[in-house]
Amino acid sequence: MAFISVLASAGCGVLYQSPEVKEREDGSPVTVVPLTSAEVSRANSSPYTPRALPAVFYAAAGAGSSQPGLGALPAEPYLPSTTPKQQTFRPLPDTLPEPYKIGVGDVLLLATKSSGSTVEQLSGLLAAQNQRQGYTVRDDGSIAIPEVGPVQLSGLTVQEAEDRLFQVLVQNQIDPSFSLEMAEFHSKKVAVGGAVKSATLVPITLNKLTLSAALTSAGGVSVRDKEFAVVRVYRDGNLYEMPVSMYLDRQDLQDKVLLNGDAVFVDTSYDLDRAVEFYKSKIDIISLRTDARESTLTALETEVALQRNSLEERRDLFELRTKLGAEKHDYVYLTGEVENQARFQLPYQQHATLADVLYSEGGFDTTTGDPSQIYVLRSDDQSDNLAAITAYHLDARNPANMIIATKLEMRPNDVVFIEEQQITKWSRALQQLFPSLLRTAETSVLGAL
């Protein structure tokens, strides 16, 4: 390159100039800062509030207007004040289910051998209980076995109850060959209500009872607008809340284990269809009072059309002023090896990133641009020296670094600059050099003749 520069200087007095980020001729500093996560955070901390769209872009036809000539809207019916409340997320804590313990009201099935001696010894038991399909645990926590008496089983697991019965039968000299099963579960329940198809009490059995299983037993969640519904679980004086939309998307919430005494309630604070029906009923009431339902609705439609036309006219006027440059905007400027030397208008009410600027304008030319030399030049307006410039340097040879470009927020008057590749500099220098040398040689030859 130095050789070409010398030839160019000697041959035609022209030296190819390649733009690059460096200190300016007047000595004003240009600080090059490699873009890292920390530097992105620092750069983004500079104050900037995106421009807001005119209020006309937020107005809706039919929302009321004070514009001259439009008149007032007909009186609106009363609407319910209930609005969607901010949903909180406080999931049930994870619990390890304990082995089922027998309780009052549970029904146990006691089965013995069918041998004659056993039948004779437990004839009263078999005659009485085989018809009832087992023993019901009484209020005192015991079951009454004929010829044996009450046996306390409440609070015991099935295995512990079998051990207790074995001891009692042996003590009463009865053949202890038996099996014990849980026939019915009544002592432990979970209440399910609210916006479900059928409120119910769901018993807890030998298997763990999950939140999903409990709601399924109640017929499932029955709400029109799931985004406003919440699954609430009351447990030991604590309230746990899970938005229905989140509950339906997450298996871990559906698999939460319920405990005895839990109360599950599906609640919705806002129902869109109900609100619409309410609105219609109020319209009917107003119409009955004024006996002019058709004229009221016609007046409403006419007024809405007038307001809509007014809004569209003002919006069109703003867009026309924008095209003619009568509205002030914030811009970022692209230069160097980009697809188009252009300016990028920063959007209204949101921040644009370096990636937005690059790719909305077609990115940079990878055949001529150097991906390791991408710069964002920004004037340091916070310092006393307004001429100071910070050059945020992005090395995008590794495409993973482009993630940083999606995080760096743009500021008004930023300049995005991409340097040439070395081979591009050589190519352009040679393109300018050879025609000049040929012209010089031709001039020399003609002069010699």
Side-chain angles (χ1 to χ4, degrees), residues 80-86 228 269-270:
S81 59
T82 304
T83 56
K85 299 178 180 177
Q86 182 177 3
F228 298 132
S269 59
Y270 193 73

Side-chain angles (χ1 to χ4, degrees), residues 84-139:
K85 299 178 180 177
Q86 182 177 3
Q87 296 176 334
T88 57
F89 176 59
R90 189 187 179 199
L92 276 170
D94 293 324
T95 57
L96 294 176
E98 298 179 351
Y100 186 87
K101 294 184 179 180
I102 299 169
V104 174
D106 288 341
V107 177
L108 308 178
L109 181 62
L110 181 63
T112 61
K113 287 184 177 181
S114 59
S115 63
S117 59
T118 303
V119 172
E120 292 173 359
Q121 293 172 351
L122 293 178
S123 59
L125 166 65
L126 296 177
Q129 297 302 328
N130 280 348
Q131 295 177 0
R132 292 169 26 198
Q133 297 299 312
Y135 294 86
T136 300
V137 179
R138 302 184 301 187
D139 291 342

Side-chain angles (χ1 to χ4, degrees), residues 366-384:
T366 56
T367 60
T368 61
D370 187 348
S372 69
Q373 302 296 324
I374 301 176
Y375 295 89
V376 175
L377 307 176
R378 180 174 299 175
S379 177
D380 188 3
D381 293 332
Q382 303 301 320
S383 66
D384 294 333

Side-chain angles (χ1 to χ4, degrees), residues 22 25 31 45 48 117 171 212 238 258 261 279 395 408:
K22 58 186 177 180
E25 294 180 357
T31 304
S45 65
Y48 169 61
S117 59
Q171 290 173 0
S212 174
N238 295 315
L258 297 178
Y279 183 89
D395 185 348
L408 179 64

